[in-house]
Amino acid sequence: MKKNLGSISLVSLLALSMVAAGCGKESTTSTPAPAASAAATATAKANEPTAEIQLMFPGTPQKDVALVEAEANKYLKDKLNVTLKINAVDWGQWDNKLNLMIASGEPSDIVFTAAWQRYAINVAKGAFLDLGPLVDKNAPELKKELDPAFFDGSKINGKNYGIPTNKELAATRGVVYRQDLVDKYQLDVSKVKTWADLEPLLKVIKEKEPAITPFFMTATSNGVFDGLDWDALGDGAIPGVISKTDKSTKVLNQLETPQYVDIMKLTRSWFKAGYVNKDAATSTVTVADQAKAGKVFMWAEGLKPGKAAEMEGYVGFKLGQIDLTVPTITTGDASGAMLAISKSSKNPDKAMKVIGLLHSDKYLNNLINFGIEGKHYVKKSDNIIDAAPGIDPKNHPYNPGAQWELGNQFLNYLMSNENPKKWDLFKEFNAKGVKSPGLGFSFDAEPVKTEIAAVTNVSKQYEAAIRTGSVDPDEKIAEYLAKQKAAGVDKIIAEKQKQFDAFLAANKK
């Protein structure tokens, strides 16, 4: 791959913090074509086979998915001459499923990807198509609906391999907790300012509610690790980080920093105290599903205004949240949720048209996200909804909770428990975001993809166990680091530093 690291406009990217909810225009379906044109289009569609487009994303498979597919297909058959297959893959199986699909060349179409989900690694493997020409040809409306900074912030080597979800751009890290248990034991969450401050709350739940896990973690969740102030410079799965909030541009191996060791020691102490579930290093149960079952008090989350309220509709409990970091804006946040098109797609043009509709068509967007009006939800007003009568939120037949993954959140209905000014709060939140020195930089993994593959294999042996506190950090971090170095991590760090320095020089004011 030819590098073109200076091609990203940093000025454009700094506009990230000013992106307003209004950039997600609430267009619905397009204006009907004149009769003669519509007839010609219908004739053309009748002469071509209907294409099935697969939409694959991580999430809990839904009981009524076939009903929603049927409604979507009535709409899409007439509009695009396509049918849609909705494939939600359990979070615990997502990585294996995606890796197998990429390695085997299994036909697929629209695939979720993100900076923290091996986006750069999979691009280096050639897993996804360059979407630039497909956008221009099939979904030019995306360039109006999405702020240009979204496209710039998700480029690798000057090309877009994913279309970002139109949503909040700044991000904080912290925890979500069950409000009923906080109220029951009169726990004072206002005193919590650091991760260590959570310990008295966890201790009470451990003693008073033995059937509930105080702090739930899984093999794929970050847990207390979310408190680290790192910008992974485009892909969280590739070693090499800088601080998001200071001015240093030196790329570090996080395993060699005292901050990493300290946070892992804290996690280990929680694990030994019984605050963390014993199977955390191997569990593939999603945190949200475990919380829905009433078995969890608290868990780590990437946060935004109204995150707890957004999750309540899925979990079925009143939730609260505690932000434990300042809002920041990184390239990883701009590319934190995207839809890519697999290189194995047999219908990339129509796949892109479907992505375009998820970003511009309010009916289709809300059908995929909330199901069928009258059956799965009822409207309280034009944009406010509730679960349909008789539905138990804990056993909802269609409630994917994947709005942030699929298209344009500014088209989403709001649940009645959510703040009606949610999108205005997003504006304020973005404006407060501290811009990382790495904002706009995405690492090109191609030059060191062999070393990345080797280091990734090492990470599979150690990462989950260390991050969940399941092993002694003093012993295992040293062992992990030694094997990382043998696999070529220093070469990866050096390449990332080289590319980052070139990016900084090209964008120096």
Side-chain angles (χ1 to χ4, degrees):
M1 278 188 194
K2 182 180 178 183
K3 299 182 184 65
N4 187 21
L5 298 171
S7 65
I8 300 175
S9 167
L10 188 58
V11 173
S12 173
L13 284 159
L14 293 181
L16 279 166
S17 64
M18 302 305 293
V19 174
C23 71
K25 298 178 178 60
E26 272 195 16
S27 58
T28 55
T29 57
S30 56
T31 303
S37 175
T41 301
T43 301
K45 287 180 179 177
N47 291 330
E48 66 178 27
T50 300
E52 181 182 89
I53 301 300
Q54 297 184 49
L55 172 62
M56 178 179 165
F57 61 94
T60 303
Q62 300 295 298
K63 178 182 176 182
D64 279 1
V65 65
L67 298 179
V68 173
E69 284 177 347
E71 288 299 310
N73 292 342
K74 290 177 190 176
Y75 187 67
L76 291 170
K77 179 69 168 65
D78 179 62
K79 199 168 187 70
L80 298 178
N81 196 24
V82 305
T83 59
L84 188 66
K85 182 66 176 175
I86 302 172
N87 293 322
V89 179
D90 278 318
W91 279 99
Q93 303 302 319
W94 173 255
D95 283 345
N96 288 337
K97 174 70 174 175
L98 182 60
N99 290 339
L100 181 61
M101 185 200 79
I102 292 171
S104 67
E106 173 188 341
S108 186
D109 300 295
I110 303 171
V111 181
F112 176 82
T113 187
W116 48 272
Q117 276 276 307
R118 296 181 172 84
Y119 172 53
I121 292 174
N122 288 330
V123 167
K125 291 179 179 178
F128 305 136
L129 296 177
D130 172 11
L131 300 185
L134 290 171
V135 169
D136 292 339
K137 179 181 177 183
N138 303 290
E141 68 274 15
L142 287 170
K143 292 188 174 180
K144 297 179 181 179
E145 180 253 309
L146 278 168
D147 187 280
F150 274 103
F151 283 105
D152 287 341
S154 56
K155 283 180 178 175
I156 293 180
N157 216 13
K159 296 181 179 180
N160 288 103
Y161 298 90
I163 302 299
T165 302
N166 195 6
K167 60 184 186 67
E168 85 289 344
L169 290 168
T172 59
R173 303 295 185 269
V175 296
V176 173
Y177 59 84
R178 272 179 55 175
Q179 186 66 51
D180 63 329
L181 293 177
V182 165
D183 294 341
K184 181 178 180 179
Y185 297 109
Q186 298 182 330
L187 303 176
D188 188 354
V189 296
S190 68
K191 292 182 179 179
V192 176
K193 307 299 180 185
T194 69
W195 292 86
D197 292 341
L198 293 168
E199 290 189 34
L201 283 66
L202 302 178
K203 185 174 187 292
V204 170
I205 300 302
K206 171 67 176 175
E207 293 172 352
K208 305 290 188 181
E209 299 283 349
I212 293 176
T213 300
F215 194 91
F216 190 77
M217 296 178 65
T218 72
T220 55
S221 63
N222 284 344
V224 188
F225 180 81
D226 276 338
L228 289 171
D229 183 34
W230 300 133
D231 180 346
L233 300 172
D235 193 322
I238 300 175
V241 298
I242 62 168
S243 170
K244 291 186 286 189
T245 53
D246 70 25
K247 300 299 182 183
S248 174
T249 58
K250 180 175 175 57
V251 179
L252 307 169
N253 183 342
Q254 59 201 35
L255 267 64
E256 296 180 302
T257 65
Q259 295 97 321
Y260 180 85
V261 174
D262 288 346
I263 207 81
M264 294 310 150
K265 285 183 176 179
L266 175 63
T267 307
R268 177 60 175 169
S269 70
W270 288 9
F271 185 91
K272 291 173 70 176
Y275 302 154
V276 176
N277 46 303
K278 295 298 184 185
D279 65 344
T282 57
S283 175
T284 59
V285 177
T286 66
V287 177
D289 284 342
Q290 194 77 345
K292 180 190 286 191
K295 298 178 180 179
V296 177
F297 168 58
M298 180 182 290
W299 64 94
E301 275 286 351
L303 298 178
K304 59 187 177 184
K307 176 67 175 182
E310 192 175 282
M311 296 188 75
E312 283 174 11
Y314 184 83
V315 172
F317 289 97
K318 182 71 175 175
L319 301 174
Q321 67 186 68
I322 305 172
D323 293 50
L324 291 170
T325 65
V326 299
T328 55
I329 304 174
T330 69
T331 300
D333 297 319
S335 54
M338 299 181 287
L339 294 176
I341 297 178
S342 171
K343 71 172 182 180
S344 65
S345 174
K346 296 179 180 179
N347 296 284
D349 289 297
K350 290 197 171 181
M352 179 53 69
K353 289 180 180 181
V354 172
I355 292 176
L357 288 182
L358 288 172
H359 275 263
S360 62
D361 191 306
K362 186 165 184 171
Y363 170 75
L364 181 66
N365 181 293
N366 284 293
L367 175 64
I368 302 302
N369 280 302
F370 298 107
I372 302 166
E373 183 178 359
K375 182 172 183 62
H376 299 121
Y377 69 87
V378 291
K379 282 191 171 184
K380 295 297 186 180
S381 65
D382 184 55
N383 208 49
I384 306 295
I385 64 172
D386 261 339
I391 287 182
D392 177 0
K394 296 178 185 178
N395 295 292
H396 202 300
Y398 192 85
N399 186 22
Q403 299 96 303
W404 59 277
E405 297 182 69
L406 303 175
N408 182 359
Q409 269 212 274
F410 297 104
L411 297 181
N412 291 164
Y413 296 140
L414 297 177
M415 300 299 293
S416 61
N417 68 302
E418 294 188 89
N419 192 323
K421 295 184 177 180
K422 179 177 179 177
W423 307 128
D424 292 329
L425 294 174
F426 273 29
K427 288 188 210 178
E428 297 172 12
F429 183 62
N430 289 341
K432 293 177 183 177
V434 176
K435 304 172 192 69
S436 166
L439 179 61
F441 173 76
S442 286
F443 181 57
D444 176 10
E446 178 70 23
V448 286
K449 63 182 181 181
T450 300
E451 288 78 13
I452 288 172
V455 169
T456 299
N457 285 333
V458 173
S459 297
K460 290 177 181 177
Q461 300 174 41
Y462 292 93
E463 194 77 17
I466 293 173
R467 285 195 185 191
T468 57
S470 302
V471 295
D472 175 25
D474 286 323
E475 175 187 347
K476 291 300 180 180
I477 290 174
E479 190 177 309
Y480 182 12
L481 180 60
K483 290 195 176 182
Q484 260 199 351
K485 288 184 176 294
V489 70
D490 290 337
K491 185 176 179 180
I492 297 170
I493 301 294
E495 179 63 29
K496 189 175 276 193
Q497 184 74 67
K498 174 185 172 183
Q499 292 185 26
F500 188 41
D501 288 344
F503 164 82
L504 293 171
N507 289 280
K508 191 174 183 180
K509 292 183 179 179

